[in-house]
Amino acid sequence: MTIALPPLASEVVFHLGALPVTNTMVNSFIALVLFAIFAFFLNLGMKKYYAKNQAPKGLVNFFESILEVVLGYIDNVTKDRKKTLKFLPIVGSLFLFILISNWMGLIPGTGSIIRWVSENGHLTAIPVFRPADTDLNMTLAMAVFAVIGAHLIGIFTIGFFKYVNKFIKFGDLYHAIKTLKPINILTAIIEFFVGLIEVFSEIAKMVSLSLRLFGNIFAGEVLLTVLAGLIGGYGAYIIPLPFEGLELLVGLIQAIVFSMLTLVYLTMATTEPHAHVESNIDHKHDTMEFSEVERL
Amino acid sequence: MILPEILNSVVYAQEAASGGVAGTLGLNLTYFIGQLITFAIVLLILWKFVFGPVAKKLQERTDKVEKAMSDADRITKEKAEFEKWRQEQMNVARKEASEIVNKSQTDATKAREEILIKAKEDQQKLVDQAKEQIYQEKEQALTSAKSELANLVTTAAEKILRQKLDDKKDAELVKETLKNI
């Protein structure tokens, strides 16, 4: 019996011209097509009910009811409905895309439908489908998008100089020097360097977001593969079942964690910096909230 | 059983590690850009056709409900104020009506008493007039009766006495007779 443990890197299934297409990309495209179909039917429903000003039914009603709950959750973080509506498309898209990508990995055929590719003179079996989030390129792309997007939105919302002063605190240093009090100047110097450290923490955010999602989903794939291979015969069909359920949960939790962290980054980036002491207290409070989510 | 495969994957990882940590983890700029573009398209679709319009509609509906609720509150408040004003006006109207009724009753009582007094006076007047008239008519009747009786007596006396007296004596005789009656 052989077990094809998935490698860390995604594998090239075929080439589109000169462009290589990996098996995780195939899954991403499928997710994209699914979302396009969903959007098409949702818009059909919206045209039907919204145009006539009728109470929505079916798909539109279902989606609206979910969105109502999601908006409530986002409101709890942003404390502002305007911000919630602004962040919803980003956070919601991340959540749906991650969730569907993770769950697609549990559909039979993912990892088991293979294509024989000739590599260095001998044939290698390459799975045609592989969950998109088991590719670090995918998770990193989303993490980079989330963190850089949060910074850009922050700059556009509170202004370039105010935003940059969160990290490079020349303004605070200048005000401290103006007071001529040594303790203020010392605090400002310390905060200046803390601000510089914050710049590195922004890179850490991208790394932690992407590696957490990649690690969890990839580990799930490996776990399911190993469990299916541990026991032969009918056991291979039964043993992984509870773990499939567990993976459903992991897929959902990871989608929530990624999107909630992005939401927190967005909210923090668009919050105006307060006075000196207050900002420290707020920051500590935010950090506590993060750590609870990050623990997942 | 499974060990050779795990060892194989370790070998693959080691081969990939020739490209450093990034190579081991499968990081590749082309794939990264490809996945970024895929996600960007997904985001665009969901933003433009899913979250954008539905969230907008939900917000419109929320605003509409909030407006309806605030309108309902305002209307309830206005209704309460109107009810208070109406009650006040009703109290004023009731008070005025009561005053009018009381005044009317007083006036009516007064008028009735005046009419009664006048009626009694008129009645008394009529009674007095009637009495006076009766008295006069009685007097007249008595006078007439006396005169008639005198003539009768005279005639009777003449006939009885079969004697003719002159008129003067006759009258004196009658008068004398009458006084003695």
Side-chain angles (χ1 to χ4, degrees):
Chain A
M1 188 180 62
T2 57
I3 302 167
L5 279 176
L8 280 169
S10 57
E11 300 124 303
V12 178
V13 186
F14 59 91
H15 284 79
L16 266 178
L19 286 172
V21 178
T22 62
N23 42 16
T24 52
M25 277 184 192
V26 173
N27 268 41
S28 305
F29 293 148
I30 294 170
L32 194 155
V33 172
L34 285 176
F35 284 124
I37 293 167
F38 173 72
F40 175 74
F41 283 108
L42 192 76
N43 274 265
L44 275 185
M46 283 193 287
K47 269 182 194 164
K48 188 178 170 187
Y49 298 113
Y50 290 175
K52 293 176 189 170
N53 226 1
Q54 287 177 338
K57 286 176 187 169
L59 185 69
V60 184
N61 187 35
F62 173 73
F63 189 69
E64 274 191 9
S65 59
I66 289 175
L67 209 59
E68 282 276 5
V69 179
V70 172
L71 283 172
Y73 278 116
I74 300 178
D75 275 343
N76 282 339
V77 179
T78 60
K79 315 278 182 205
D80 180 1
R81 189 33 84 94
K82 273 186 186 172
K83 273 189 184 178
T84 300
L85 291 172
K86 200 171 162 185
F87 301 155
L88 174 75
I90 299 169
V91 177
S93 301
L94 279 169
F95 174 76
L96 283 183
F97 185 71
I98 295 168
L99 183 73
I100 297 301
S101 300
N102 291 349
W103 284 356
M104 272 168 65
L106 302 172
I107 297 170
T110 309
S112 55
I113 296 172
I114 54 166
R115 182 168 187 262
W116 292 97
V117 177
S118 173
E119 264 184 18
N120 302 326
H122 61 270
L123 285 172
T124 316
I126 305 284
V128 179
F129 306 109
R130 177 174 157 163
D133 293 332
T134 58
D135 182 359
L136 192 61
N137 293 299
M138 180 77 247
T139 58
L140 190 66
M142 288 189 291
V144 168
F145 170 83
V147 176
I148 293 180
H151 286 302
L152 288 175
I153 291 171
I155 289 168
F156 284 118
T157 310
I158 64 172
F160 180 77
F161 290 106
K162 269 187 187 175
Y163 193 77
V164 169
N165 197 48
K166 279 183 173 183
F167 300 101
I168 304 164
K169 301 184 176 181
F170 278 126
D172 290 353
L173 197 61
Y174 171 71
H175 288 296
I177 292 167
K178 257 174 64 177
T179 61
L180 295 173
K181 288 179 182 172
I183 190 75
N184 284 2
I185 296 167
L186 185 68
T187 314
I189 290 168
I190 293 167
E191 292 226 341
F192 180 79
F193 285 106
V194 170
L196 290 179
I197 295 168
E198 287 282 329
V199 176
F200 291 101
S201 82
E202 293 305 307
I203 298 162
K205 276 180 188 175
M206 292 185 227
V207 175
S208 71
L209 269 179
S210 56
L211 281 179
R212 182 188 302 109
L213 181 59
F214 167 73
N216 275 287
I217 306 306
F218 183 77
E221 277 296 299
V222 173
L223 176 73
L224 290 178
T225 314
V226 170
L227 281 170
L230 272 178
I231 302 162
Y234 292 114
Y237 298 101
I238 298 160
I239 299 294
L241 276 180
F243 295 92
E244 292 260 357
L246 193 72
E247 282 309 308
L248 273 176
L249 207 64
V250 170
L252 175 68
I253 291 167
Q254 288 310 315
I256 293 171
V257 169
F258 197 104
S259 49
M260 285 303 273
L261 282 171
T262 306
L263 176 65
V264 175
Y265 298 155
L266 284 164
T267 311
M268 277 181 68
T270 50
T271 307
E272 292 245 5
H274 299 292
H276 226 54
V277 181
E278 282 175 32
S279 98
N280 286 344
I281 294 166
D282 279 1
H283 187 71
K284 275 176 194 163
H285 180 70
D286 290 337
T287 317
M288 278 167 70
E289 281 184 354
F290 278 140
S291 59
E292 283 164 20
V293 183
E294 293 227 10
R295 242 182 275 142
L296 292 162
Chain B
M1 221 163 60
I2 194 168
L3 196 65
E5 287 303 321
I6 295 170
L7 287 173
N8 266 343
S9 66
V10 172
V11 171
Y12 288 142
Q14 279 173 344
E15 280 171 6
S18 55
V21 179
T24 311
L25 293 169
L27 278 177
N28 179 305
L29 189 64
T30 315
Y31 301 166
F32 174 81
I33 292 168
Q35 299 285 31
L36 194 64
I37 291 168
T38 313
F39 177 70
I41 297 168
V42 169
L43 181 76
L44 193 75
I45 290 170
L46 291 177
W47 194 322
K48 186 84 181 160
F49 302 106
V50 177
F51 288 110
V54 178
K56 193 182 162 196
K57 193 69 190 175
L58 280 178
Q59 194 54 37
E60 276 176 18
R61 211 175 291 153
T62 309
D63 292 344
K64 207 173 166 182
V65 170
E66 276 173 4
K67 192 180 172 294
M69 282 175 77
S70 70
D71 282 354
D73 283 347
R74 187 175 50 78
I75 288 166
T76 311
K77 205 177 163 187
E78 280 177 6
K79 194 186 158 197
E81 279 173 7
F82 174 75
E83 187 60 32
K84 197 180 163 191
W85 176 82
R86 191 186 69 88
Q87 202 61 44
E88 282 172 5
Q89 293 301 311
M90 284 293 285
N91 288 340
V92 171
R94 278 201 190 101
K95 201 177 165 189
E96 282 177 0
S98 177
E99 278 172 5
I100 289 166
V101 168
N102 285 341
K103 194 172 175 291
S104 306
Q105 278 179 343
T106 315
D107 289 352
T109 310
K110 204 175 163 186
R112 194 184 68 178
E113 280 171 1
E114 279 174 0
I115 289 163
L116 275 171
I117 290 165
K118 198 169 177 292
K120 274 181 184 170
E121 281 174 3
D122 288 349
Q123 187 191 7
Q124 194 59 46
K125 220 175 189 176
L126 283 170
V127 167
D128 289 348
Q129 274 179 357
K131 276 181 179 172
E132 180 66 28
Q133 201 174 350
I134 290 162
Y135 176 75
Q136 288 201 0
E137 279 174 1
K138 189 181 129 190
E139 283 298 311
Q140 205 176 353
L142 274 171
T143 313
S144 172
K146 275 180 184 174
S147 171
E148 195 69 31
L149 188 64
N151 284 338
L152 278 170
V153 169
T154 308
T155 312
E158 267 180 1
K159 279 179 182 174
I160 295 162
L161 295 171
R162 295 192 189 259
Q163 68 179 79
K164 182 73 179 166
L165 298 174
D166 58 80
D167 288 345
K168 197 176 172 186
K169 281 183 180 175
D170 203 18
E172 281 173 1
L173 187 65
V174 169
K175 206 176 262 183
E176 195 67 27
T177 310
L178 283 172
K179 271 182 186 173
N180 294 329
I181 290 171

